[in-house]
Amino acid sequence: MSKFPSIKNVLKATFKTVLRFPLEVTAAILGTIFAILLDNAEYDNPLKELFIKAILSSSLCFVLFISVSLYFVTSQKNSLLRFATSLLLGALLVAFVFNFDEQITTLQTQQFLVLSICLHLLVSFAAFLPKKYNQNEFWEFNKQLFLRILTASLYSIVLYSGLALALFAVKELFQVPFPNEIFAYLFYVIAGIFNSIFFLNGIPLIKNDTEPLQLKYPNGLKNFTQFILLPLISLYLIILIGYEVQIILTFSLPIGWVSYLVLIFAIFGILSFLLVYPIASNVGNLWMRTFNRWFYFLLIPLLGLLFWAIIYRISLYGVTPERFYVLLLSIWLAFVVAYLLIQKEPKIKFIPISMCIAGLLSIIGPQSASSVSKNSQLNRYESYIKKTEKEKLNFNQEKDLSSIVNFLDKNYDANILIIPQTKDKLTNLFQKNKNPSSTEIMEALGLEYHSEYATENDVRNNFYYSFYENSDSTVENISGYDMALTVTNYSEFNCTDCIAINKINYSIKSTKSKYGLDLHLNNDVIPLKIFEFINNNLVFDQERSDKKRITQVVDHSKYQISIQYINLNGTRNSTKKSINTYSLRILVKVKK
């Protein structure tokens, strides 16, 4: 009969884990503290950037420290050297994260995710670098790691749910004034500290070569792989090969997202190969042996489809980080398939090691996703700019150039857009505005910005305008006006005695009219001819989000009114525009 673990045994196990992985536990605790600080930080707290980057750094260091510890413990080298190596490499990770922009870009987020995946892969083989490789031991070690992750997650979910429910019950039943933040703090502590220590406690020990980990293959895993995963993979294999036959017979081009489907299929196929590897050659596992023997031969034509699809997309639109990683995974997959077909007894550690190296090479350097993508899109940008000197760009070309400008502006220093052909046009813009929008950059180039979702028909028949307001300037100075209100087409404004000016109470109401709006201020009715203004203003002919506020001034004998356009959209024909929706900020000054 199993015994319920005593507090003494739990503390003993925890203490043992802390001694075994001191830096890892420290990283987990620091990450938890910074998460709590971030949760408490006000929206405009200047330390929020520090807290976010500290959390990202802690998560990377936690995984890195595990890899270093496994390597040094297995090699039985000096502990001081282990700690020094961990701190040195950890400092490089912290420097890498803190080099991110204040507002972390999409490209930097991708770099973080790729580095995190690489470090997790490093954990899978770090302990086997300084010792003689044993295939069964390697498989068993990673199986135990994977199961420990699942177990730690399950324990953490159950523990948090139980404690959160208990706190809620005490708060509601006994009226104990717990702050609402306590539930978030509890989550951070359990996810950051309990989950981490519980996982670390279950990392298997890698002993010497004479005492390898004993392979224990779960029967449930065999049934799952044999009767669910492999049949599903075979089904998708048939679908993809059928699609490839179709495009060959019809001489059509592969659709763009087929490359993602092939990659996902191939990766799950390799995962299946890893899952069944220890027992695939056993008598009675004919289905598994057949899969292992033929899967990679059948994958070869799909690799051809994969390269065709991604290279075609790159030839049309250049390299982006997403396409770079699809191409990189395609190349990696080709190497893995070649290795598994050529080697009679392939070592499965080749798969995580090769993927880890490929990922690391993609993060920093001239061969990285960032550098290759930047150079590719810059070349396309320059070719378009040179083209504008000879001819007018059509809609699709302007849309493509808009996406290039937007990509370079969002992920790199926008000054790289200043080339000899654009120096006169962009230098003045950047001197006036250090952070211009992509719309403003395209306008400075004498072109029109089109969003990625726009179609030529939309631009011809529809229009929209949106005032882009920086979150850093949410406080607005309305000096010179007595009142401000927001009016939209879907709800009329109605307020009785809502403000007193010069000891006079004002009731305010807006009603729709054929020319736009009527603004009722007590007994006065002021016509606001917004439809006429929109039709006569060429700015609204384009689809745009702008940092320049468009304002309409209406002069009345008793009031000075300023109409600020927040957003609007509608349709147009050859003669006029018809407005569908609008949102307006109306400022009113009472004349003396």
Side-chain angles (χ1 to χ4, degrees):
M1 184 175 178
S2 60
K3 296 182 179 179
F4 189 81
S6 66
I7 298 296
K8 180 179 179 182
N9 289 337
V10 170
L11 292 176
K12 183 178 179 181
T14 302
F15 184 68
K16 183 179 179 181
T17 302
V18 172
L19 289 179
R20 185 183 174 197
F21 299 107
L23 293 180
E24 291 83 345
V25 173
T26 302
I29 293 173
L30 287 175
T32 303
I33 292 172
F34 284 117
I36 293 173
L37 291 173
L38 178 63
D39 190 85
N40 275 329
E42 298 292 335
Y43 179 78
D44 56 349
N45 191 324
L47 294 177
K48 285 186 70 173
E49 178 193 356
L50 169 67
F51 297 153
I52 293 172
K53 292 181 178 179
I55 294 169
L56 298 179
S57 300
S58 298
S59 66
L60 292 178
C61 287
F62 176 78
V63 184
L64 171 69
F65 293 162
I66 294 175
S67 301
V68 176
S69 296
L70 290 172
Y71 175 84
F72 277 93
V73 170
T74 305
S75 60
Q76 298 179 344
K77 291 185 178 180
N78 189 289
S79 295
L80 290 177
L81 182 59
R82 164 192 164 189
F83 293 139
T85 303
S86 295
L87 293 174
L88 177 61
L89 295 177
L92 293 177
L93 287 182
V94 172
F96 175 76
V97 172
F98 274 80
N99 194 47
F100 288 167
D101 293 343
E102 182 177 351
Q103 296 293 329
I104 298 176
T105 65
T106 302
L107 180 58
Q108 290 167 344
T109 302
Q110 290 173 338
Q111 290 176 327
F112 170 80
L113 292 175
V114 172
L115 181 55
S116 180
I117 292 171
C118 291
L119 292 177
H120 280 82
L121 290 169
L122 182 60
V123 173
S124 70
F125 61 82
F128 295 86
L129 294 177
K131 70 189 296 294
K132 184 180 179 181
Y133 179 71
N134 182 303
Q135 191 96 297
N136 288 340
E137 185 181 24
F138 179 82
W139 192 93
E140 179 64 23
F141 173 80
N142 283 282
K143 182 209 78 174
Q144 291 190 29
L145 277 186
F146 180 69
L147 292 179
R148 192 64 180 184
I149 292 173
L150 296 180
T151 306
S153 300
L154 177 62
Y155 274 55
S156 298
I157 291 171
V158 172
L159 181 61
Y160 174 76
S161 301
L163 291 178
L165 184 59
L167 286 173
F168 180 77
V170 171
K171 180 180 180 181
E172 295 299 320
L173 296 177
F174 301 102
Q175 300 300 308
V176 178
F178 287 135
N180 291 330
E181 293 80 6
I182 194 170
F183 295 99
Y185 300 160
L186 179 64
F187 173 81
Y188 296 139
V189 170
I190 291 177
I193 299 177
F194 170 81
N195 184 75
S196 299
I197 293 177
F198 188 91
F199 167 74
L200 292 171
N201 180 258
I203 294 179
L205 288 169
I206 304 297
K207 300 178 182 179
N208 53 46
D209 295 334
T210 59
E211 297 182 75
L213 289 172
Q214 296 301 312
L215 177 65
K216 298 176 183 177
Y217 195 91
N219 193 54
L221 180 59
K222 173 186 174 182
N223 292 334
F224 169 76
T225 307
Q226 185 173 8
F227 298 115
I228 296 180
L229 194 57
L230 293 186
L232 283 175
I233 290 172
S234 301
L235 174 62
Y236 278 99
L237 179 63
I238 294 170
I239 293 172
L240 287 171
I241 291 179
Y243 174 70
E244 186 170 19
V245 171
Q246 174 187 297
I247 64 174
I248 291 174
L249 293 177
T250 58
F251 296 100
S252 58
L253 293 170
I255 57 178
W257 59 268
V258 73
S259 54
Y260 295 104
L261 187 59
V262 174
L263 276 177
I264 293 171
F265 160 77
I267 290 172
F268 272 95
I270 291 175
L271 175 62
S272 301
F273 165 79
L274 294 175
L275 289 176
V276 303
Y277 187 84
I279 60 169
S281 58
N282 291 356
V283 177
N285 293 333
L286 178 63
W287 169 234
M288 294 184 182
R289 288 205 307 275
T290 304
F291 174 84
N292 272 9
R293 182 181 303 129
W294 291 104
F295 174 75
Y296 296 103
F297 287 104
L298 295 173
L299 198 58
I300 292 174
L302 293 182
L303 282 174
L305 175 63
L306 178 59
F307 277 104
W308 183 8
I310 187 58
I311 291 175
Y312 177 70
R313 297 289 291 180
I314 289 175
S315 68
L316 288 178
Y317 306 112
V319 181
T320 61
E322 292 78 12
R323 295 186 196 116
F324 177 93
Y325 280 112
V326 171
L327 181 60
L328 178 64
L329 283 172
S330 305
I331 296 171
W332 169 81
L333 189 59
F335 273 102
V336 170
V337 170
Y339 172 78
L340 294 175
L341 289 176
I342 294 171
Q343 286 290 328
K344 292 183 178 180
E345 295 182 1
K347 295 180 173 60
I348 58 177
K349 72 174 182 179
F350 175 82
I351 295 172
I353 290 176
S354 59
M355 180 176 273
C356 180
I357 293 173
L360 291 175
L361 289 174
S362 73
I363 297 173
I364 296 178
Q367 78 295 328
S368 67
S370 175
S371 295
V372 174
S373 299
K374 180 176 75 172
N375 293 332
S376 173
Q377 296 303 323
L378 265 178
N379 289 335
R380 299 184 69 235
Y381 169 76
E382 290 180 12
S383 66
Y384 269 126
I385 295 301
K386 291 177 181 177
K387 191 180 185 70
T388 59
E389 296 177 341
K390 302 175 182 177
E391 58 186 90
K392 179 177 173 59
L393 300 183
N394 60 37
F395 172 82
N396 288 328
Q397 290 170 333
E398 275 193 328
K399 180 179 176 181
D400 192 23
L401 180 56
S402 298
S403 69
I404 295 170
V405 169
N406 189 59
F407 171 78
L408 294 172
D409 178 41
K410 293 292 185 293
N411 292 290
Y412 306 96
D413 186 347
N415 285 298
I416 64 174
L417 296 171
I418 300 178
I419 57 177
Q421 294 87 346
T422 64
K423 187 175 182 181
D424 295 336
K425 298 177 180 178
L426 294 184
T427 302
N428 291 335
L429 173 65
F430 289 141
Q431 286 176 347
K432 296 176 183 177
N433 187 350
K434 294 182 179 179
N435 186 30
S437 66
S438 299
T439 301
E440 292 173 313
I441 293 173
M442 287 290 288
E443 286 182 353
L445 294 173
L447 302 165
E448 187 174 346
Y449 179 86
H450 302 297
S451 71
E452 60 179 312
Y453 304 107
T455 64
E456 192 168 6
N457 183 63
D458 289 335
V459 173
R460 187 184 301 113
N461 301 321
N462 303 295
F463 68 94
Y464 84 87
Y465 167 81
S466 178
F467 172 61
Y468 171 77
E469 189 166 21
N470 246 329
S471 59
D472 295 335
S473 54
T474 53
V475 177
E476 186 179 3
N477 185 354
I478 59 171
S479 176
Y481 292 91
D482 298 303
M483 63 184 86
L485 59 144
T486 300
V487 176
T488 64
N489 68 300
Y490 48 82
S491 63
E492 294 184 342
F493 190 93
N494 195 347
C495 177
T496 303
D497 292 335
C498 46
I499 190 171
I501 301 172
N502 298 327
K503 299 181 180 181
I504 300 175
N505 289 332
Y506 283 87
S507 295
I508 308 170
K509 182 180 179 181
S510 69
T511 57
K512 297 178 183 178
S513 66
K514 62 181 181 180
Y515 44 76
L517 289 169
D518 281 327
L519 184 64
H520 302 258
L521 297 171
N522 289 344
N523 296 322
D524 298 312
V525 180
I526 303 100
L528 304 180
K529 299 179 180 180
I530 62 173
F531 294 163
E532 180 183 336
F533 179 81
I534 293 170
N535 273 278
N536 292 335
N537 197 319
L538 295 178
V539 173
F540 296 116
D541 287 346
Q542 306 173 22
E543 50 168 271
R544 55 188 287 151
S545 283
D546 208 331
K547 292 182 180 178
K548 295 179 180 178
R549 191 195 302 272
I550 297 177
T551 302
Q552 176 185 357
V553 176
V554 177
D555 194 21
H556 184 267
S557 58
K558 293 184 179 180
Y559 309 99
Q560 182 76 27
I561 297 175
S562 174
I563 305 172
Q564 299 176 347
Y565 287 79
I566 301 174
N567 57 66
L568 61 90
N569 67 73
T571 58
R572 62 184 168 200
N573 54 37
S574 57
T575 57
K576 70 171 186 176
K577 309 184 191 78
S578 299
I579 290 81
N580 295 330
T581 64
Y582 58 79
S583 180
L584 311 171
R585 176 84 162 159
I586 299 176
L587 307 179
V588 181
K589 178 183 179 181
V590 180
K591 294 183 178 179
K592 296 181 181 179

